[in-house]
Amino acid sequence: MKLPLIYFLLSTLTVFSQSFEKIRKNENLKKYSSVEIISFYNNKKKTGWSKKISLKDGKINSIRNYNKSTLTYQAEYFYDEKNDLDFEIVKYDINKGKINDTINYSYKYNDKNQLIEQEVLIKEFFSNFNSQNLPQTIESGKSAFDSLCGFRKELIYDIKGNIIQEKEYSKIDNQIKTKTITYKYDEYNNVIELNRVSSPNEKYPIIMIGGPAQFENEKFRYVYNKDNLWVEKYRIVENNEYLILKRKFK
């Protein structure tokens, strides 16, 4: 079963946003000027896409995406006075060639300095903040979840601010689907296990557009460098372990 495109897009943008935050908030990254991320196909040693990221003071300065050795995308990133990502300039897109498109990031804060709205291609609305000042509800799309088509997440965190439960609500043609994902972490705050429960029940694995299949239960194992940054990531599904990502820091 394939997920609807809008559902995949919203999920992908949220995941990218979380990954981006995790990378730039790690203090050990300030020691490095770049990191290369290399993907591997499940149960094969062949490499797939790769991502070369240049770093400045621990923040992402630019990204180049490759499909094997072919450059597919290149962008530079710029920050505002709050150290939030302000905009990116797309220098190259394989479908357009050399370009200089600007993608703007906009943010709205309330009087408690809590981020309540963010827009990057789509809008995300943050609310129901907990005692850690973290949003427990995220809605995405053109309008609120009570519209004909919407997307919402409800989040629960641990004491370190890691998401330990994520309940997704997707609404397509006025039909609501839910998926609850629970997470476990290691001492370095990387996910070592996740479990999915869907309603209505879905048959796993679920084939994703442009990404790995989703399994009901997934486990992960990491190999770390001296700065406690993982350099190899393994995925364990159906009692099989696969190398899925490598990271090379310089």
Side-chain angles (χ1 to χ4, degrees), residues 138-153:
I138 302 175
E139 291 184 311
S140 303
K142 293 182 179 179
S143 56
F145 185 71
D146 58 5
S147 64
L148 179 64
C149 179
F151 183 83
R152 184 174 72 206
K153 284 188 177 185

Side-chain angles (χ1 to χ4, degrees), residues 100-116:
N100 276 292
D101 285 349
T102 300
I103 299 175
N104 292 302
Y105 292 64
S106 65
Y107 311 91
K108 185 182 290 185
Y109 292 85
N110 61 16
D111 55 7
K112 297 180 180 179
N113 201 33
Q114 296 168 331
L115 178 63
I116 58 173

Side-chain angles (χ1 to χ4, degrees), residues 175-213:
Q175 180 184 7
I176 296 177
K177 295 182 178 181
T178 65
K179 179 184 292 182
T180 302
I181 311 172
T182 55
Y183 300 92
K184 294 181 181 179
Y185 296 83
D186 65 11
E187 60 185 309
Y188 304 117
N189 302 313
N190 290 305
V191 174
I192 56 172
E193 184 175 350
L194 64 84
N195 292 277
R196 297 182 173 95
V197 177
S198 300
S199 178
N201 288 333
E202 293 188 277
K203 185 178 180 180
Y204 288 90
I206 297 174
I207 305 303
M208 299 293 291
I209 301 171

